[in-house]
Amino acid sequence: MALQADFSSQAYFRNPAAEIEKLRAAGPVVEVRFPIVGTVWTTTTQDLADLVLKDSETFTLRKDDGVVAGFRWWMPGLLRTLANNMLSMDEPDHRRLRDIVDEAFRRRAVLEMEPRILALGRELAAELFAAGSPADLIDQYARKLPLSVICELLGLPLADRPKFSAWASGFTRFTGALGFLSVIPNILAMKRYMQRHLEAVRQDGGEGLIAELVRAEKEGGRISGDEIVAMVFLLLFAGHETTTHLISGSVYELVKNPGLRNWLAEDWSHAETAVEEFLRFISPVQFTKRAISARISSLPASG
Ligand code: HEM
């Protein structure tokens, strides 16, 4: 029987480690029920996670008919288009798409953005402090900073940032199928916006990663129009939702632990170590996407 851990409860979000410990105690491969995704088997050890993630002969992200594993019958076709991103693609399509954007994420390219990211961070922090107490860290800072950075990286107008913010924040607050379907109008509005923006870039040229994607589309069709839309959605979400939660989770830990806060405040050169540790400790992403296998019996039995 599937373990009834509630991955959308307050209890889980407040202490994911405790719930994950229960999964570990149940065995190396455990059947669990996720909201929206349904019943799946999850690995609870590093070795098994490595095995599932690296053995692309045994585990694939898509079924033989090309549909993404875990795609539910009630999900609208619009999501099928958006799921056509590299995160849910097996090789060689994953590599084809990844190669187009890899350059933008190299260390050098990211370091070049550092002064601009620092300036944005300072500007938002100044606004946050100027507004006084109580302050909404998520709305005023943790969501705005990564969203601004990813908009700049993509070459999307900063003036449209509040629009993305409103669309995007609705996407992450649902925990069931009904809530999931209620955000479809937002996704549709965003998709239409992207298509219009892409058309303008195709006609008049543009800046940032979107202009590079359009170049790749023109140069022998290395990426299709639908794949560009899916890629931009992926980058917009992967690039900001994760970082929003890393920032807010880190601040929460610092507020709870004055000793830790003093350690950081006394010597700012600790910041790099702090971010590394927060990344491990807070883990904005705790589970990966679904994979399927025709040879599932090769895994150890559930405990
Ligand atoms: C705290 C920050 C972040 C965390 C914890 C995080 C975590 C992850 C994880 C765990 C994956 C693998 C997901 C899977 O295969 O199931 C992933 C993939 C990805 N992330 Fe992030 N991420 C973060 C920030 C970012 C940012 C800032 C960007 C873009 C600007 C980004 C873009 C991507 C992309 C494009 C993929 C898919 C890569 C591929 O399929 O080759 N992420 N991220």
Side-chain angles (χ1 to χ4, degrees):
M1 202 182 75
L3 211 85
Q4 290 299 327
D6 186 352
F7 296 106
S8 55
S9 66
Q10 272 291 316
Y12 175 74
F13 288 130
R14 282 179 192 277
N15 192 357
E19 292 299 320
I20 289 170
E21 201 46 53
K22 281 189 211 156
L23 295 189
R24 277 177 172 275
V29 182
V30 185
E31 196 181 22
V32 285
R33 242 195 104 65
F34 276 99
I36 300 168
V37 172
T39 302
V40 292
W41 294 90
T42 185
T43 60
T44 63
T45 65
Q46 177 84 47
D47 286 348
L48 276 178
D50 280 352
L51 190 146
V52 174
L53 290 171
K54 290 179 183 164
D55 180 357
S56 53
E57 292 283 302
T58 310
F59 298 96
T60 59
L61 300 174
R62 289 181 181 245
K63 299 184 224 165
D64 287 344
D65 57 6
V67 174
V68 179
F71 204 90
R72 312 297 296 271
W73 60 268
W74 47 266
M75 291 182 177
L78 164 70
L79 295 186
R80 217 169 275 240
T81 313
L82 297 181
N84 252 342
N85 65 54
M86 61 182 173
L87 190 62
S88 66
M89 286 200 187
D90 296 302
E91 302 301 351
D93 285 320
H94 170 261
R95 187 37 62 192
R96 168 176 60 86
L97 296 172
R98 177 73 189 250
D99 279 349
I100 301 173
V101 294
D102 250 3
E103 191 56 39
F105 294 103
R106 293 214 193 286
R107 188 176 165 76
R108 184 176 40 83
V110 174
L111 283 177
E112 269 172 25
M113 291 184 73
E114 192 176 354
R116 182 70 193 123
I117 298 174
L118 275 173
L120 275 169
R122 291 206 176 101
E123 200 180 302
L124 289 171
E127 283 170 21
L128 182 77
F129 287 113
S133 190
D136 189 331
L137 178 77
I138 309 258
D139 276 357
Q140 295 302 114
Y141 188 92
R143 198 170 281 289
K144 280 187 176 172
L145 178 63
L147 198 59
S148 304
V149 175
I150 194 74
C151 278
E152 290 204 6
L153 190 120
L154 287 168
L156 288 169
L158 280 190
D160 292 338
R161 209 170 53 190
K163 219 163 21 185
F164 295 132
S165 203
W167 283 329
S169 55
F171 292 179
T172 53
R173 294 199 176 140
F174 55 79
T175 51
L178 268 183
F180 183 81
L181 290 174
S182 73
V183 297
I184 297 293
N186 277 15
I187 303 183
L188 206 56
M190 206 158 167
K191 184 177 173 229
R192 286 205 193 102
Y193 169 91
M194 284 310 169
Q195 281 168 328
R196 275 199 307 275
H197 182 76
L198 276 173
E199 215 30 64
V201 174
R202 283 188 189 108
Q203 300 290 326
D204 311 323
E207 288 180 2
L209 202 47
I210 291 186
E212 277 176 42
L213 291 168
V214 167
R215 212 167 301 132
E217 181 188 33
K218 285 183 179 162
E219 285 165 7
R222 281 159 64 210
I223 183 167
S224 71
D226 275 354
E227 284 173 341
I228 296 185
V229 174
M231 174 75 92
V232 176
F233 258 82
L234 170 67
L235 291 172
L236 211 51
F237 283 100
H240 100 270
E241 195 57 37
T242 43
T243 316
T244 298
H245 296 303
L246 183 69
I247 296 172
S248 58
S250 307
V251 171
Y252 182 55
E253 287 305 317
L254 290 172
V255 168
K256 277 195 307 185
N257 298 289
L260 205 58
R261 201 168 67 220
N262 294 342
W263 168 82
L264 187 58
E266 277 158 18
D267 183 352
W268 196 239
S269 72
H270 289 150
E272 216 162 297
T273 311
V275 172
E276 284 296 319
E277 285 305 306
F278 282 139
L279 260 175
R280 284 201 295 201
F281 188 66
I282 292 163
S283 288
V285 183
Q286 286 132 19
F287 293 90
T288 183
K289 60 237 161 183
R290 253 174 97 151
I292 46 173
S293 172
R295 295 195 272 151
I296 196 76
S297 57
S298 61
L299 283 172
S302 169

